[in-house]
Amino acid sequence: MPFQLISIAVFLPFAGFLINGLLGSRIKSEKAIGLIGSGTVGISFVIACAMFFDMLSSPPDERSHIVEIFKWIAAGSVNVGLAYQIDQLSILMMLIVTGVGFLIHIYSIGYMHGDPGFWRFFAYLNLFIFAMLNLIMADNFLLLFLGWEGVGLCSYLLIGFWYDRKFDKGTTGDAAKKAFIVNRIGDFGFLIGMFLIFEMFGTLAFKDVFNQASTLSVGNTTVMWMTLALFLGATGKSAQIPLFVWLPDAMAGPTPVSALIHAATMVTAGIYMVARCAVLFALAPTTLMVVAVVGATTALFAASIGLVQNDIKKVLAYSTVSQLGYMFLALGVGAFAAGLFHVLTHAFFKALLFLGSGAVIHAMHEEQDIQKMGGLKSHLPITYKTFLVGTIAIAGIPPLAGFFSKDEILWKAFSGGYWPLWVMGLIGAGLTAFYMFRLLSLTFDGKPRWDQHHLHPHEAPKTMAIPLIVLAGLSIVGGFVGIPHSLGGGNAIEQWLDPVFEAANRKMFLAPHAVVPLEYVLMIASVLVALGGIWLARTWYLKNTEIPEQLASRYRGMYNLLLNKYKVDEVYDAVIVNPIQKMSEMFLWKIFDVKIIDGIVNGIPKLIGVFSGVARKIQTGVTQNYALAFVLGVVLIIGFLITK
Amino acid sequence: MSLDLHMYLGLSAMLFCIGVAGVLTRRNVIVVFMCIELMLNSVNLSLAAFSSHLGDPTGQVLVFLVMAVAAAEAAVGLAIVIAMFRNKQTVNINDINILKW
């Protein structure tokens, strides 16, 4: 299997972007555009699969390849190639991105049917996949950064896809800008980290950096700042505290976009990057601690906001933020493989849930408020069943995908001695089960709360239903790649990824004290908590529907705080956005720009005007004055010649 | 009494200065023209004087050249003056300052 094919796999979506982007408005046929858009990603997926099976059949030490396409920058000591690295980690990510991305493309053909920007949408989607592939396949930090910025751009384009629609307090354009700007803050951190890496190691290629890093000793201060800066970048892309505010607003885009951003591409970028730099992070225990605490806090924090949201997509958005918190918790406690395992399973069920919510929104004619839904079970049987699978999977009920990955993380957190973080994760798991079943109950069960005379919800077309079914299947079986030893599995995914994290694990001195009975106890605990959450949600929202209202009115302050998302946006506005805006308005605009810049710009011509006003007086237009000057000149010259 | 070269040159210089003064001070365009002719003639006088003094005919040939140019200039100049008069109804040089910016 020639690994050179990677360049085809990466550039095919780009070709799709070019074709649809440049000629899309002429092609007109939605079928052709959809075929080009999803076909290119599909072929990439096939190539990725072929590579994966090839790697599977070769010995572990021959699984890593670097394919250089061409020298990109070669200036002095800077030497960066446009090169792709194929190893266990990047191929796993590639399978997720192209596989789930392909399904989302297929789904979009149905979802975006009839949209005037159909071709534009597919062009953006392909560009998104292309940028993400560059991000995960890059063999150096600079190319990774190119993809990093690329997904930022695409998220901007796609969130603001319906640029003229209202969203929340502004338009979708505002949401897109918010995503873009918040990500810029993270990118700033990433850049600083990259500069520090170049300064310290003199190269940006992963292989060289990590080889050098594996000779360093734990506790290097520069590495600590470096990793903290990189982690700031990761919090931006992966929507962690403090930079998570953009992700819920990213709901402004069409639903397939939300699925793509939340499941397969953008938000996993931060996780991937931290995992890729595992060696560096392993050298900085402080950073790891920060990562773990931020992850656990975000998991709990976002889950609590999800409890009371009424917008079907917003619930899922906060759920993503929360699940990403789990992934960072895993990375922070050194369980890198467990974090990526959760990326994999989360990609399946979150894509499924988002696409399912898209089908619901589609059927309800753009209605997104779950309080105005209910009883859709019988109208949307396929959507309901697949959504149910996704909900159970994310709630962590065995043997669906979410159970294995989440439990792996919680177990690793506990066995690593971080029991407070484990407690937070456990509570978060209970909350997850609760809000997901609340969502399910309010949407599909109970009595219809919508206008039955005018709305006739019907099942989604085939192009939308098939991806749902496939993803539901994956959500059921996806977890089996990581069945832990204690349950008789070999934890295949951990073994698969082990070579990538070997150097990092050596630095961590993780003592894998495999106390199997304890692992069983923890598993049972988390399942019980999840079941508790489910039971509570079922009772409150189906049987005793008055309880939530009573609770809401009794603890009104708390309820409003959650409903308003802890007012984080408002705090950011007050502390950061408004002062900057005031400063820009009062000083930068009214003083610096108007007085100083404009003063200089207008002052120079004014000065020239004054001088020319004087010079103009000489031009009398009277011939004799000119002649006089002429004569005086002649006299002067003659005088000079005589007296010389 | 014989006429020395310096007497011719003195006369020529006086005529030239009168011409310059006329060009610079007179208001009537016609008079200004006549003053220019005066200057040209003063130059012609010195050319002829030098020519006879040095026994070289070149100076006298130049005199004819100057006269020809002066005649041409007078013709063009008068045409301009007439055109100007038709437009402005005046030959007063102070009123003809349209070259001003």
Side-chain angles (χ1 to χ4, degrees):
Chain A
M1 173 81 200
F3 284 93
Q4 267 70 19
L5 276 178
I6 184 71
S7 52
I8 297 178
V10 172
F11 282 98
L12 257 180
F14 188 66
F17 159 70
L18 288 181
I19 296 171
N20 276 341
L22 296 176
L23 305 173
S25 56
R26 304 248 181 95
I27 295 176
K28 293 222 168 61
S29 154
E30 286 189 0
K31 225 178 208 167
I33 292 168
L35 201 69
I36 294 167
S38 36
T40 48
V41 180
I43 297 172
S44 291
F45 177 62
V46 170
I47 295 176
C49 283
M51 283 180 187
F52 172 69
F53 287 118
D54 190 66
M55 285 165 78
L56 211 55
S57 61
S58 56
D61 52 339
E62 283 171 26
R63 283 175 180 168
S64 181
H65 301 265
I66 288 179
V67 179
E68 175 153 354
I69 313 291
F70 60 81
K71 276 235 168 317
W72 182 15
I73 299 169
S77 58
V78 190
N79 209 330
V80 180
L82 190 80
Y84 296 115
Q85 175 167 13
I86 306 164
D87 64 1
Q88 289 90 336
L89 176 57
S90 63
I91 201 77
L92 174 72
M93 289 300 292
M94 187 164 178
L95 287 173
I96 298 174
V97 171
T98 52
V100 177
F102 174 63
L103 292 173
I104 293 170
H105 272 73
I106 298 281
Y107 177 91
S108 305
I109 299 177
Y111 191 84
M112 297 303 285
H113 171 69
D115 193 283
F118 192 83
W119 57 275
R120 195 161 56 90
F121 185 76
F122 271 87
Y124 290 167
L125 281 191
N126 275 7
L127 189 63
F128 209 146
I129 299 283
F130 170 69
M132 192 66 195
L133 286 178
N134 270 301
L135 198 164
I136 55 175
M137 303 307 292
D139 96 316
N140 58 66
F141 280 97
L142 202 59
L143 191 56
L144 189 154
F145 189 67
L146 186 85
W148 190 270
E149 290 301 302
V151 293
L153 167 72
C154 293
S155 68
Y156 169 78
L157 291 173
L158 283 168
I159 292 168
F161 181 76
W162 286 323
Y163 47 84
D164 47 358
R165 289 203 190 174
K166 285 230 172 311
F167 179 75
D168 269 4
K169 284 169 218 154
T171 62
T172 57
D174 293 329
K177 271 189 275 179
K178 189 168 171 186
F180 198 73
I181 292 166
V182 172
N183 268 297
R184 283 290 76 62
I185 302 170
D187 295 345
F188 167 75
F190 189 95
L191 271 176
I192 300 283
M194 203 156 77
F195 292 152
L196 282 173
I197 285 169
F198 187 72
E199 217 227 316
M200 190 164 175
F201 300 109
T203 174
L204 287 174
F206 288 148
K207 219 171 123 201
D208 303 335
V209 170
F210 299 149
N211 278 345
Q212 287 186 47
S214 54
T215 62
L216 294 173
S217 57
V218 175
N220 187 311
T221 324
T222 319
V223 175
M224 187 192 85
W225 288 112
M226 187 189 291
T227 47
L228 278 176
L230 289 177
F231 180 61
L232 179 65
T235 57
K237 275 281 172 297
S238 293
Q240 297 295 292
I241 294 172
L243 296 179
F244 70 96
V245 287
W246 67 272
L247 195 59
D249 277 30
M251 297 300 99
T255 309
V257 172
S258 313
L260 195 61
I261 291 178
H262 284 243
T265 57
M266 184 111 172
V267 294
T268 57
I271 317 279
Y272 167 77
M273 192 266 285
V274 173
R276 178 55 86 193
C277 304
V279 184
L280 293 177
F281 281 83
L283 289 174
T286 323
T287 313
L288 278 181
M289 199 64 221
V290 171
V291 173
V293 170
V294 166
T297 317
T298 309
L300 193 58
F301 179 79
S304 68
I305 297 177
L307 294 178
V308 297
Q309 296 302 311
N310 288 323
D311 185 316
I312 183 167
K313 282 170 78 182
K314 280 255 165 86
V315 177
L316 294 175
Y318 281 104
S319 153
T320 305
V321 176
S322 165
Q323 296 301 311
L324 289 163
Y326 280 104
M327 297 173 205
F328 273 109
L329 171 62
L331 298 175
V333 300
F336 300 109
L340 283 161
F341 183 25
H342 201 52
V343 169
L344 175 74
T345 56
H346 178 253
F348 295 150
F349 54 70
K350 191 45 69 67
L352 168 61
L353 289 170
F354 262 114
L355 297 186
S357 77
V360 170
I361 294 167
H362 205 68
M364 298 296 288
H365 294 277
E366 307 297 321
E367 179 59 64
Q368 301 193 10
D369 192 341
I370 48 176
Q371 293 185 316
K372 293 177 189 156
M373 293 182 185
L376 290 174
K377 197 195 281 188
S378 53
H379 300 276
L380 306 168
I382 298 176
T383 310
Y384 169 68
K385 279 175 203 148
T386 52
F387 203 91
L388 181 67
V389 169
T391 311
I392 298 175
I394 196 174
I397 302 299
L400 274 72
F403 166 74
F404 293 106
S405 52
K406 193 188 290 174
D407 235 50
E408 183 77 13
I409 292 171
L410 292 176
W411 159 238
K412 284 280 160 67
F414 191 86
S415 65
Y418 302 92
W419 66 266
L421 300 180
W422 172 78
V423 171
M424 289 166 86
L426 192 67
I427 299 172
L431 297 181
T432 306
F434 176 80
Y435 67 67
M436 282 313 299
F437 270 87
R438 168 179 178 266
L439 181 68
L440 185 82
S441 310
L442 286 176
T443 309
F444 291 102
D445 297 309
K447 286 195 191 82
R449 291 181 297 280
W450 35 276
D451 184 0
Q452 278 170 298
H453 297 290
H454 294 98
L455 271 177
H456 301 285
H458 53 86
E459 191 55 85
K462 254 194 206 130
T463 49
M464 289 165 72
I466 290 170
L468 287 178
I469 294 167
V470 175
L471 283 168
L474 288 170
S475 301
I476 295 172
V477 300
F480 297 151
V481 299
I483 300 176
H485 298 282
S486 56
L487 289 182
N491 205 344
I493 193 160
E494 197 177 305
Q495 283 178 10
W496 172 255
L497 289 171
D498 243 4
V500 181
F501 300 126
E502 201 192 344
N505 286 337
R506 252 185 283 135
K507 297 279 169 203
M508 302 277 301
F509 304 112
L510 279 181
H513 26 253
V515 191
V516 174
L518 184 62
E519 195 171 347
Y520 286 138
V521 170
L522 294 184
M523 257 179 215
I524 291 165
S526 68
V527 171
L528 284 180
V529 166
L531 285 175
I534 295 171
W535 176 78
L536 217 57
R538 294 308 260 190
T539 359
W540 284 7
Y541 289 96
L542 290 180
K543 286 186 199 128
N544 310 325
T545 43
E546 69 286 348
I547 294 181
E549 277 165 36
Q550 283 171 3
L551 282 174
S553 56
R554 192 177 304 166
Y555 303 104
R556 181 137 301 275
M558 186 66 199
Y559 177 77
N560 280 337
L561 195 63
L562 287 180
L563 196 64
N564 293 322
K565 307 142 199 165
Y566 292 106
K567 306 220 178 237
V568 173
D569 274 327
E570 283 78 0
V571 171
Y572 280 5
D573 274 351
V575 177
I576 300 167
V577 179
N578 286 343
I580 289 178
Q581 228 163 26
K582 280 265 163 59
M583 158 91 178
S584 318
E585 202 168 296
M586 301 310 293
F587 176 72
L588 288 179
W589 171 33
K590 288 197 173 150
I591 295 178
F592 192 76
D593 190 30
V594 172
K595 296 257 159 74
I596 297 178
I597 302 284
D598 287 6
I600 291 171
V601 170
N602 294 332
I604 291 171
K606 224 174 246 171
L607 208 64
I608 293 173
V610 170
F611 281 121
S612 29
V614 174
R616 204 167 72 179
K617 296 264 160 61
I618 299 167
Q619 302 274 5
T620 54
V622 180
T623 330
Q624 283 172 320
N625 288 357
Y626 303 152
L628 181 64
F630 179 77
V631 169
L632 286 176
V634 170
V635 168
L636 273 177
I637 290 169
I638 292 174
F640 173 73
L641 287 174
I642 291 171
T643 56
K644 192 174 68 173
Chain B
M1 139 186 189
S2 69
L3 290 172
D4 288 335
L5 177 64
H6 67 264
M7 297 174 94
Y8 290 104
L9 291 184
L11 176 63
S12 170
M14 272 160 44
L15 283 175
F16 191 86
C17 289
I18 292 168
V20 169
V23 166
L24 291 183
T25 54
R26 300 310 295 257
R27 297 280 168 261
N28 190 321
V29 181
I30 308 286
V31 179
V32 169
F33 262 118
M34 284 157 64
C35 290
I36 293 173
E37 297 296 320
L38 200 58
M39 284 153 70
L40 289 169
N41 276 328
S42 78
V43 170
N44 278 348
L45 180 59
S46 26
L47 276 171
F50 277 120
S51 173
S52 121
H53 179 74
L54 298 171
D56 179 355
T58 317
Q60 294 179 38
V61 175
L62 272 175
V63 168
F64 285 109
L65 189 66
V66 172
M67 281 171 143
V69 172
E73 180 246 314
V76 175
L78 275 174
I80 292 173
V81 169
I82 288 165
M84 192 74 83
F85 182 76
R86 281 195 184 141
N87 274 328
K88 290 258 176 183
Q89 305 299 322
T90 177
V91 288
N92 189 332
I93 210 160
N94 279 3
D95 301 333
I96 310 170
N97 54 358
I98 51 172
L99 282 179
K100 189 163 66 173
W101 179 73

